[in-house]
Amino acid sequence: MTRGGDPNFRELEPGIVTDFSARMSYGSYLDLGTLLSAQNPVSEPQHHDEMLFIIAHQTTELWLKLVLHEIRAARAAFAEDSIGVALKCIARVKHIQKSMTEQWSILATLTPTEYAEFRGFLGSASGFQSHQYRAVEFILGNKNADLLRVFEADPPSHAVLDDLLGEPTLYDEFWRCLARAGYDLPGSALDREVSAAYVLNPDLMPLVKYVYEHPGDCWPAYESFEELVDLEESFQVWRFRHLRTVLRVIGMKTGTGGSSGGAGYLQRALELSFFPELFAVRTELGN
């Protein structure tokens, strides 16, 4: 209902709840008091653009929390032979990754001069120390026990990574799922030391090639292969966008966390593969 013919005024409908003294509100459900008070710039005097920097990274951490939640669920689904459920979780992760990738364009509005005015206040703080990012990499197969040293001063984060280090990856559970479905899996795939970083297993290549050459006979495996390829490709696009944003803002400067050149470190990460057989087989197909 408008007031006095003013189309910009709308009275509250009679059923709208206004008393939250004993009811859950939007803000209390989302704990917005905590969430919105977590942006605390450290620059002195406070630099306008540091708020952008903080929120962009906090948002990424929230998305990483959801990515890890979904990949854990996908891994559990493969362990229970629920391929459809696993692929649904992976599909959601791909959409999350799209949002994560697109938000680099917001951070890229930070010019080199603007960032330089507060970068020194960050000290040794760096995205290199994101335990959730490391957790996602660990559960996807890029494990490195040495990285746990970075988190020795943060016991809860260290515990998360230590647990994941000794657990099967998403890919490990996928191969075990296929074995239970009747596919002939080599022992080297089923008995792999799960605490080691995943590397290409030549023993798997004949099976992977067969599935790609006979998709109609192996549809669940074939569909899973392609979903996993999508997952890795989306992750690599996010990594690449990260690299390009870093190059745009700080060039080849050393990372605040001590990595030998922030952009150089990110460039090398593009060479990593979570599911190497699924990419290597493309060279063999059609030969």
Side-chain angles (χ1 to χ4, degrees):
M1 180 183 299
T2 62
R3 174 184 293 173
D6 182 357
N8 291 323
F9 177 82
R10 292 177 62 85
E11 292 185 357
L12 289 180
E13 298 174 9
I16 295 293
V17 177
T18 58
D19 181 5
F20 294 99
S21 57
R23 292 183 174 95
M24 179 183 292
S25 68
Y26 175 81
S28 61
Y29 174 67
L30 295 177
D31 196 9
L32 291 182
T34 300
L35 182 66
L36 298 180
S37 64
Q39 296 73 46
N40 302 298
V42 298
S43 56
E44 295 180 3
Q46 183 174 317
H47 192 277
H48 171 81
D49 297 299
E50 191 181 355
M51 185 63 73
L52 159 64
F53 191 80
I54 292 172
I55 290 177
H57 286 82
Q58 288 181 339
T59 303
T60 295
E61 289 296 330
L62 287 173
W63 284 131
L64 285 171
K65 183 173 184 176
L66 185 55
V67 166
L68 187 58
H69 175 73
E70 295 295 338
I71 295 177
R72 285 183 183 275
R75 184 181 63 174
F78 279 137
E80 296 170 358
D81 299 327
S82 299
I83 292 178
V85 173
L87 297 188
K88 174 64 166 62
C89 294
I90 291 172
R92 178 173 291 167
V93 170
K94 292 189 300 182
H95 287 287
I96 299 168
Q97 289 173 316
K98 183 177 180 181
S99 288
M100 290 174 64
T101 299
E102 289 177 344
Q103 75 180 38
W104 283 119
S105 64
I106 305 173
L107 196 57
T109 65
L110 186 65
T111 69
T113 303
E114 291 167 343
Y115 183 42
E117 291 184 21
F118 67 85
R119 186 178 189 240
F121 290 95
L122 303 182
S124 298
S126 166
F128 185 89
Q129 300 141 16
S130 168
H131 90 275
Q132 291 196 123
Y133 174 77
R134 297 301 171 191
V136 171
E137 285 208 321
F138 274 26
I139 200 171
L140 290 179
N142 183 26
K143 297 187 178 185
N144 184 346
D146 287 344
L147 283 171
L148 267 67
R149 290 164 29 202
V150 176
F151 303 95
E152 287 177 350
D154 182 0
S157 298
H158 187 281
V160 169
L161 293 175
D162 192 41
D163 288 345
L164 286 172
L165 187 67
E167 295 172 359
T169 68
L170 174 71
Y171 208 32
D172 290 323
E173 289 293 4
F174 168 65
W175 291 124
R176 296 174 185 182
C177 176
L178 287 194
R180 292 189 295 270
Y183 289 88
D184 186 16
L185 269 291
S188 57
L190 300 176
D191 301 325
R192 189 183 79 84
E193 174 50 62
V194 297
S195 63
Y198 191 91
V199 295
L200 188 145
N201 184 349
D203 297 341
L204 280 169
M205 293 304 295
L207 171 60
V208 175
K209 185 176 181 183
Y210 180 85
V211 169
Y212 270 105
E213 290 177 337
H214 304 85
D217 299 330
C218 315
W219 188 261
Y222 174 80
E223 183 181 20
S224 298
F225 284 0
E226 285 298 280
E227 285 293 323
L228 291 171
V229 166
D230 284 349
L231 176 62
E232 174 162 332
E233 192 166 87
S234 296
F235 202 93
Q236 291 287 39
V237 169
W238 180 83
R239 279 174 167 162
F240 178 75
R241 197 69 182 86
H242 186 185
L243 167 64
R244 297 307 304 179
T245 302
V246 168
L247 284 171
R248 177 173 178 147
V249 178
I250 66 169
M252 296 299 294
K253 289 186 179 69
T254 300
T256 49
S259 58
S260 56
Y265 179 86
L266 296 172
Q267 180 70 56
R268 292 189 294 276
L270 292 174
E271 300 173 2
L272 301 172
S273 178
F274 299 126
F275 318 121
E277 296 84 7
L278 306 186
F279 288 88
V281 72
R282 282 152 166 79
T283 304
E284 298 186 12
L285 293 171
N287 290 339

